[in-house]
């Protein structure tokens, strides 16, 4: 269930209980997958399977609230995030690996490995490029080839003392696209939210003040709706 004071009130129904462990990952992964899985036609609401992360596995919850495991890597490695694609397939990050899993969870189509752990996933719907939070950096890949493309580091810059320098995250863990086309990222260790202009390749720190007059506290992931509202899952 979700609630935000600016959202209209709907009758809610608890679909499942999120396990208490790794709370930030599971909630953010559900939010990431919810958008492509929901279609509204007139007064009717049609639900595609809702994907969510449960520790090492990816689970699917259908319209009758039946929960099934659709992907299990088969080894002990933390599954970080899942992103549903328009064709029913989905991307999943597990440890240092990102995999494309075919519709219905019928095995992996391809996977790519990184030298660093991979976390949140976002896709630019215009270019088709996929962006992955990878601790000190953000990586990109595309879905055009049968084996996927090699992960590449996204060039991001700061201005320090009037000079343009390569930006480095302390622990980038979540990425999401704003309707404006800008990429947003949360840094877990820096307790920060960043806006990245992909045209200029520059990043800007967004100051956040909560109702308790405090900043972010270990942001684990984020999601942005079609109105540009930003939802952040915090660990603490």
């Amino acid at each position: 269930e979700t609630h935000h004071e600016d959202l209209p009130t709907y009758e809610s129904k608890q679909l499942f209980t999120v396990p208490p462990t790794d709370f930030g990952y599971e909630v953010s992964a559900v939010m990431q997958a919810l958008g492509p899985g929901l279609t509204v036609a007139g007064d009717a609401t049609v639900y595609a399977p809702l994907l969510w992360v449960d520790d090492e596995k990816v689970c699917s919850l259908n319209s009758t609230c039946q929960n099934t495991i659709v992907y299990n890597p088969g080894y002990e490695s933390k599954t970080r995030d899942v992103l549903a694609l328009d064709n029913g397939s989905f991307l999943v990050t597990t440890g240092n690996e990102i995999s494309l899993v075919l519709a219905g969870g019928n095995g992996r189509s391809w996977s790519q490995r990184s030298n660093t752990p991979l976390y949140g996933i976002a896709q630019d719907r215009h270019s088709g490029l996929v962006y992955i939070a990878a601790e000190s950096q953000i990586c990109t890949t595309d879905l055009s080839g049968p084996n996927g493309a090699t992960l590449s580091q996204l060039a991001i810059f700061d201005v320090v003392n009037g000079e343009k320098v390569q930006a480095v995250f302390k622990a980038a863990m979540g990425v999401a696209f704003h309707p404006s086309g800008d990429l947003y990222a949360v840094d877990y260790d820096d307790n920060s939210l960043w806006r990245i202009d992909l045209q200029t390749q520059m990043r800007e720190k967004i100051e956040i003040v909560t109702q308790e007059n405090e900043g972010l506290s270990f942001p684990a992931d984020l999601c942005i709706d079609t109105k540009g509202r930003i939802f952040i899952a915090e660990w603490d």
Side-chain angles (χ1 to χ4, degrees), residues 123-136:
Q123 185 182 28
D124 184 341
R125 297 290 176 174
H126 299 289
S127 68
L129 281 175
V130 174
Y131 294 75
I132 309 107
E135 289 196 336
S136 64

Side-chain angles (χ1 to χ4, degrees), residues 59-213:
C59 299
S60 174
L61 194 74
N62 62 24
S63 58
T64 60
C65 296
Q66 293 177 321
N67 189 38
T68 58
I69 297 173
V70 294
Y71 178 69
N72 189 339
Y75 50 89
E76 293 185 5
S77 186
K78 181 70 67 176
T79 296
R80 303 294 185 180
D81 202 4
V82 59
L83 177 69
L85 303 175
D86 292 336
N87 62 2
S89 300
F90 58 88
L91 294 168
V92 59
T93 48
T94 304
N96 289 36
E97 191 173 69
I98 180 170
S99 301
L100 174 65
V101 182
L102 301 178
N106 297 318
R108 292 189 300 181
S109 174
W110 55 258
S111 63
Q112 297 290 339
R113 293 189 63 82
S114 168
N115 293 327
T116 61
L118 301 177
Y119 295 93
I121 320 167
Q123 185 182 28
D124 184 341
R125 297 290 176 174
H126 299 289
S127 68
L129 281 175
V130 174
Y131 294 75
I132 309 107
E135 289 196 336
S136 64
Q137 61 186 312
I138 293 174
C139 295
T140 63
T141 186
D142 64 51
L143 307 177
S144 59
N147 298 316
T150 303
L151 292 173
S152 303
Q153 181 178 353
L154 177 66
I156 306 171
F157 299 95
D158 290 325
V159 174
V160 179
N161 298 325
E163 295 186 2
K164 189 175 179 180
V165 298
Q166 182 76 39
V168 178
F169 293 93
K170 291 184 177 179
M173 293 186 68
V175 286
F177 274 96
H178 191 274
S180 66
D182 290 333
L183 181 67
Y184 280 69
V186 287
D187 191 318
Y188 181 86
D189 285 351
D190 191 51
N191 292 319
S192 56
L193 170 68
W194 296 85
R195 182 183 69 85
I196 302 164
D197 186 327
L198 296 178
Q199 299 298 319
T200 64
Q201 298 181 308
M202 302 299 295
R203 71 173 187 173
E204 175 190 9
K205 191 172 185 177
I206 307 299
E207 296 298 330
I208 301 271
V209 178
T210 65
Q211 292 180 345
E212 293 78 17
N213 292 320

